Amino acid sequence: MAAIVSISLVAGCSLLGEESSDDAGPIVVGTTSAPSTLDPAAAWDGSWELFRNIYQTLLSYPTGATTPQADAAECVFTDSTNRTYKCVLREGLTFSNGDKLDAKAVKYSIDRIRAINASTGPNGLLGTLESVQANGEREVVFRLNKADATFPFVLATPGMAIVDPDDYPAKSLRKDDGIVGSGPYRLQSYEEGKQAVLVRNDNYKGFAERKNDAVTIRYFQDSGKMVKALRARDIDITYQGLAADDIIDLGRKGGDNEGLQLIEAAGSNINYLVFNPKDPWSNKLAVRRAIAQVVDRAAIAHKVYKDTVDPLYSMVPAGLTGHTTGFFDSFGDPDAKKARQILKDAGINETVPLTFWYTSDRYGSDTALEFKELKSQLEASGLFAVTLKNRPWNSYVLGYQKGEYPVFGRGWAPDFPDADNFIAPFVGDQNALGTPYPAQEITQVLLPRSREVSDRANVAKDFEEAQQILVRDARLLPLWQGKQYIASSEDVSGGERALDPSTIMMVWELSRKTSW
């Protein structure tokens, strides 16, 4: 549930009044999360935040839903083994340019993701898909190579966006800055790294009830500049990337915060470190376990993020079935002496040199401070010498996909709200991190077994076992779990309803007030 903290002198007044259209112009959203691409076949990242509002998927999450519901289609498993999934499209669907959206377009879109198989794309989500069949104008049948109760969640991700076959090449990525989708909005204009202008798509047929006619999304590289723009009323609402100091400052009443409100919601996004097995030092289990023994998550949460995040001791965040505290159970509190003994037992007596990489413009301005704190903690142990390096997100992604970084930081907002999505994307020979991690007991036993179970409340044991393996291998090191903060003008409502279960903003929920 979202909590609204008024930071004006008139507490809670943003919830009063009537909704209006955009007589005062489009609602302007500020974020530090710019798309890396406009082509769904190349995106398994925050580009989905734009896609959710412009492209359409077969299933989605109406406000308040935590399981996939009908969007472009009604869908159901037609067998008891969770291996045949049938979708029937709504009648009369078209793309924003007027072209027909039929079963062939859906098959084309999914087959295209698999044919292109972009290193940064969502093909990894389709590991259980055997084939797609288009039957007539409106029926699509997905046949899976094994049981997969999570497949409806996959189809609800923006990565499975339906594209127009006439505008997207079958075996290569679209090169220009255009989008042809069938979602609630169409992309009127786009300036990379600066802004996306969205206007109502009059051809849209789906679940979304749009409470505005137009939204402009502005992209910032710095949280402070974004907050300054909010206070100057150059933007109406912020989403993604508020720095901890800015959140704390926005929580104070009066002064520069007059007429603003801060919305806090539970979050399932996580932050973690990845160790590259190609690196001679990161490849050593003792090195990874020693780092796990030294890292002080509570200090990071308090000193860097001012307690706007919580320490995390498993890859599955709190609030989801299967969450554990495995890393705390195994390592306890930070202890340099224990870390030294771990290294000594492995015959490592010299200072371990490592290079830690992070993105300079993706997760907010605090990322650099977080990595400075990590460097300080590790070097204070006397066991490590850490060099910090960073790149902008677009080139950062390419670097870790090529295996260039010994240790690197990643954030993860779920593709769908299930523990499977906090384990499966990071294991296997091909995964979302570009660092092969076979983990055969997880990939060949635990995940397949859990996917046979439709009632996801009954899979906790498999995920707990999987996380014990992750702790044992220490290839991934969870650091913290985030909360969601949205700051906005008090004359804008809907922020508390606008986040889907993957914490992506559904901008159609935003509206202005016409009276108080």
Side-chain angles (χ1 to χ4, degrees), residues 416-433:
F416 49 86
D418 190 280
D420 184 290
N421 193 236
F422 287 90
I423 295 176
F426 313 131
V427 296
D429 292 328
Q430 289 186 317
N431 60 51
L433 301 173

Side-chain angles (χ1 to χ4, degrees), residues 232-247:
R233 302 301 191 267
D234 292 332
I235 61 176
D236 299 299
I237 186 169
T238 67
Y239 164 67
Q240 292 283 31
L242 282 175
D245 284 339
D246 290 321
I247 293 170

Side-chain angles (χ1 to χ4, degrees), residues 301-314:
H302 181 68
K303 293 170 63 176
V304 177
Y305 291 99
K306 309 297 192 296
D307 300 316
T308 60
V309 305
D310 294 319
L312 182 64
Y313 297 93
S314 77

Side-chain angles (χ1 to χ4, degrees), residues 297-435:
R297 295 168 177 81
I300 293 171
H302 181 68
K303 293 170 63 176
V304 177
Y305 291 99
K306 309 297 192 296
D307 300 316
T308 60
V309 305
D310 294 319
L312 182 64
Y313 297 93
S314 77
M315 289 300 289
V316 176
L320 290 184
T321 296
H323 168 71
T324 71
T325 54
F327 274 90
F328 185 82
D329 298 341
S330 293
F331 294 96
D333 292 323
D335 192 318
K337 290 182 179 179
K338 289 182 179 179
R340 183 179 298 278
Q341 191 62 46
I342 291 171
L343 293 173
K344 184 177 180 181
D345 290 346
I348 301 172
N349 297 302
E350 68 266 46
T351 301
V352 176
L354 287 169
T355 300
F356 280 38
W357 282 82
Y358 63 93
T359 176
S360 59
D361 62 353
R362 182 64 182 174
Y363 303 122
S365 306
D366 289 327
T367 304
L369 299 177
E370 175 185 347
F371 274 77
K372 288 179 181 178
E373 173 63 19
L374 283 168
K375 173 183 169 70
S376 176
Q377 291 179 8
L378 293 175
E379 291 188 341
S381 72
L383 304 174
F384 303 94
V386 178
T387 300
L388 299 181
K389 293 186 178 182
N390 66 79
R391 285 177 178 170
W393 177 251
N394 282 352
S395 58
Y396 184 74
V397 172
L398 297 177
Y400 71 68
Q401 289 285 352
K402 293 177 181 177
E404 294 179 1
Y405 311 146
V407 186
F408 61 96
R410 273 297 311 264
W412 185 257
D415 303 323
F416 49 86
D418 190 280
D420 184 290
N421 193 236
F422 287 90
I423 295 176
F426 313 131
V427 296
D429 292 328
Q430 289 186 317
N431 60 51
L433 301 173
T435 53

Side-chain angles (χ1 to χ4, degrees), residues 139-310:
E139 183 178 287
V140 184
V141 177
F142 299 91
R143 302 194 187 281
L144 310 182
N145 54 35
K146 60 186 71 173
D148 188 359
T150 70
F151 191 69
F153 291 92
V154 171
L155 290 183
T157 68
M160 302 299 118
I162 306 167
V163 301
D164 188 342
D166 291 339
D167 287 272
Y168 291 78
K171 296 184 179 180
S172 62
L173 297 175
R174 181 170 174 166
K175 303 298 184 184
D176 60 73
D177 287 338
I179 283 179
V180 178
S182 59
Y185 299 88
R186 60 182 176 85
L187 185 65
Q188 185 177 71
S189 64
Y190 179 75
E191 296 178 76
E192 183 176 355
K194 294 183 178 180
Q195 71 175 17
V197 177
L198 283 55
V199 296
R200 178 184 288 259
N201 174 17
D202 293 330
N203 292 336
Y204 171 68
K205 292 183 178 180
F207 74 89
E209 297 181 8
R210 291 162 294 192
K211 297 178 173 63
N212 60 69
D213 292 324
V215 173
T216 295
I217 303 174
R218 286 185 55 191
Y219 301 112
F220 294 83
Q221 291 190 0
D222 179 80
S223 171
K225 292 180 180 179
M226 183 168 68
V227 172
K228 184 177 180 180
L230 176 67
R231 287 176 170 144
R233 302 301 191 267
D234 292 332
I235 61 176
D236 299 299
I237 186 169
T238 67
Y239 164 67
Q240 292 283 31
L242 282 175
D245 284 339
D246 290 321
I247 293 170
I248 299 301
D249 191 36
L250 285 165
R252 300 187 178 100
K253 294 182 179 180
D256 291 341
N257 296 329
E258 184 77 23
L260 300 181
Q261 62 182 347
L262 184 67
I263 301 168
E264 177 183 329
S268 56
N269 58 304
I270 67 171
N271 185 277
Y272 58 99
L273 293 177
V274 183
F275 296 95
N276 186 350
K278 294 180 180 179
D279 180 75
W281 287 106
S282 292
N283 189 41
K284 298 180 186 297
L285 176 59
V287 169
R288 302 195 300 270
R289 290 181 62 82
I291 292 172
Q293 185 63 73
V294 169
V295 167
D296 188 339
R297 295 168 177 81
I300 293 171
H302 181 68
K303 293 170 63 176
V304 177
Y305 291 99
K306 309 297 192 296
D307 300 316
T308 60
V309 305
D310 294 319

Side-chain angles (χ1 to χ4, degrees), residues 471-486:
V471 172
R472 180 195 70 196
D473 295 346
R475 284 281 305 274
L476 307 166
L477 188 65
L479 297 174
W480 52 260
Q481 176 177 348
K483 304 172 186 177
Q484 292 297 317
Y485 292 93
I486 297 172

